[in-house]
Amino acid sequence: MSDANYKLNQNTDSFVMNNNIDTFFETNNELISMENVSLVYDKKSATVPAIDNININIYPGEFVCVMGPSGCGKSTLLNILAGFITPTGGSVKLNQKEIKGIDSNRGVVFQQPPLFEWFSVRKNIAFGPKMKKVSKDKIATDVETLLDQVGLKAFADKKVYELSGGMKQRAAIASALINNPDILLMDEPFGALDALTREQMQGLTRNIWWKTGKTIFFITHDVDEALLLGTRVLVMSKHPGRVIADIPVDFTKSYVEENSDDVRYTDRFHQKRNHILSLINGQ
Ligand SMILES: Nc1ncnc2c1ncn2[C@@H]1O[C@H](COP(=O)(O)OP(=O)(O)OP(=O)(O)O)[C@@H](O)[C@H]1O
Ligand SMILES: [Mg+2]
């Protein structure tokens, strides 16, 4: 049993929003299954094979970090999972059903948060469920829970343009979580933030994952970020992107349980770090 699954066993009563745990205990089925997935962009001038023959299963509660050289197809893979684009080959399933188009059961967080600048934080977070005609009472309760969870309670009535980059990203995470998605897809979400804010956002993401058991698919260029958040790091090859390594990691557990970052100074951490960097830089 992986560490992510071990965590689920240990913390069952603290999963306030988790909708995966029943699936996990009843079936232990994969949440996402990708079989021979490929995508060729068809441009007028040329065809671009972006990803090729990807075979990955993702299980409920996993925190999967994806790394690889620029242009290797990480965002393409995430966009396929989100349903923004359809693969040209292979099959991608969520809970055994083929992914066909966009659905709120997948929440997406990008580097630039797609928020309505002139709406308040509260109104932005409430937007998705309001469009789905969820009851006003439920929306109000969920918005308050999420404002608390992402640390924006004091800023709920501020307009988005009044927020810092980190706060905007907190609002974007809450907007994605309010739909209670099966999986959160994050594409370099903290790439544009300063180092200190980035570290705070990593802590926030780690806590949300730990408390909710949400499955997360997270693209990053930062190996420390991947090691300090993930339960698994996928390394992709350059052009066309294939998965060349699938590395289990378990540093998050000591980070949370010991409330200390000492683990990043261990030999074990440095070995994993060097291994991943040599896979990426050696291409
Ligand atoms: N809409 C598109 N049309 C044509 N080619 C595209 C399109 N989007 C991406 N590509 C190409 O597909 C390949 C993979 O791009 P993708 O954006 O998925 O890479 P990435 O790993 O996310 O890169 P980065 O780390 O720079 O974000 C690249 O060669 C890119 O130029
Ligand atoms: Mg990208």
Side-chain angles (χ1 to χ4, degrees):
M1 185 179 270
S2 75
D3 268 359
N5 297 340
Y6 168 80
K7 176 182 73 71
L8 292 176
N9 274 335
Q10 297 299 300
N11 291 329
T12 45
D13 43 355
S14 65
F15 287 90
V16 278
M17 290 166 49
N18 179 30
N19 58 349
N20 295 326
I21 197 155
D22 292 339
T23 321
F24 172 70
F25 281 116
E26 279 167 22
T27 63
N28 202 10
N29 275 337
E30 63 275 357
L31 179 70
I32 299 273
S33 73
M34 299 185 230
E35 264 179 55
N36 305 322
V37 177
S38 60
L39 187 122
V40 179
Y41 287 108
D42 202 354
K43 296 297 244 187
K44 275 186 195 141
S45 48
T47 53
V48 182
I51 55 170
D52 185 44
N53 200 26
I54 304 266
N55 289 281
I56 312 165
N57 286 338
I58 298 176
Y59 293 88
E62 285 193 311
F63 195 134
V64 180
C65 291
V66 184
M67 298 197 67
S70 186
C72 73
K74 302 178 292 296
S75 297
T76 299
L77 190 57
L78 182 138
N79 287 336
I80 289 173
L81 289 174
F84 297 144
I85 49 179
T86 310
T88 44
S91 128
V92 187
K93 291 180 181 158
L94 173 81
N95 283 326
Q96 278 88 55
K97 286 199 197 101
E98 202 73 37
I99 290 179
K100 286 184 181 153
I102 304 163
D103 193 299
S104 60
N105 60 14
R106 279 152 283 142
V108 187
V109 179
F110 295 108
Q111 197 174 101
Q112 299 303 332
L115 300 165
F116 301 104
E117 293 278 320
W118 293 89
F119 280 11
S120 68
V121 170
R122 183 177 269 119
K123 215 167 165 185
N124 263 284
I125 300 173
F127 187 79
K130 198 172 166 201
M131 288 297 107
K132 289 200 316 189
K133 306 219 176 326
V134 176
S135 80
K136 277 189 178 161
D137 285 354
K138 174 151 174 54
I139 295 178
T141 314
D142 288 353
V143 169
E144 289 316 305
T145 307
L146 281 160
L147 282 168
D148 195 27
Q149 212 159 21
V150 300
L152 281 183
K153 251 193 147 90
F155 301 89
D157 296 313
K158 291 256 186 258
K159 301 274 196 299
V160 166
Y161 69 81
E162 297 178 277
L163 303 181
S164 68
M167 286 177 190
K168 284 185 188 175
Q169 213 44 298
R170 285 170 194 258
I173 291 173
S175 300
L177 284 175
I178 198 160
N179 296 310
N180 200 15
D182 290 327
I183 185 164
L184 199 55
L185 307 168
M186 306 178 85
D187 194 349
E188 297 189 50
F190 312 138
L193 303 177
D194 65 86
L196 189 64
T197 311
R198 187 178 185 133
E199 214 166 291
Q200 288 166 350
M201 293 305 295
Q202 289 166 356
L204 175 90
T205 309
R206 186 187 299 112
N207 287 343
I208 289 175
W209 171 75
W210 189 259
K211 282 188 188 146
T212 65
K214 210 43 88 190
T215 311
I216 300 182
F217 184 89
F218 187 105
I219 296 174
T220 179
H221 277 285
D222 178 342
V223 66
D224 291 302
E225 185 167 78
L227 290 175
L228 292 170
L229 291 176
T231 56
R232 194 175 160 192
V233 179
L234 303 179
V235 181
M236 289 177 67
S237 65
K238 71 176 177 200
H239 212 60
R242 299 190 179 97
V243 175
I244 53 168
D246 185 349
I247 301 163
V249 283
D250 60 359
F251 301 110
T252 306
K253 200 162 165 263
S254 38
Y255 219 91
V256 177
E257 289 181 347
E258 291 154 27
N259 195 22
S260 138
D261 67 353
D262 287 355
V263 73
R264 67 192 301 174
Y265 306 107
T266 59
D267 286 346
R268 214 161 53 85
F269 190 90
H270 284 290
Q271 278 159 12
K272 287 259 176 181
R273 192 174 189 281
N274 291 341
H275 177 50
I276 291 169
L277 287 177
S278 68
L279 285 169
I280 297 170
N281 297 333
Q283 294 186 34

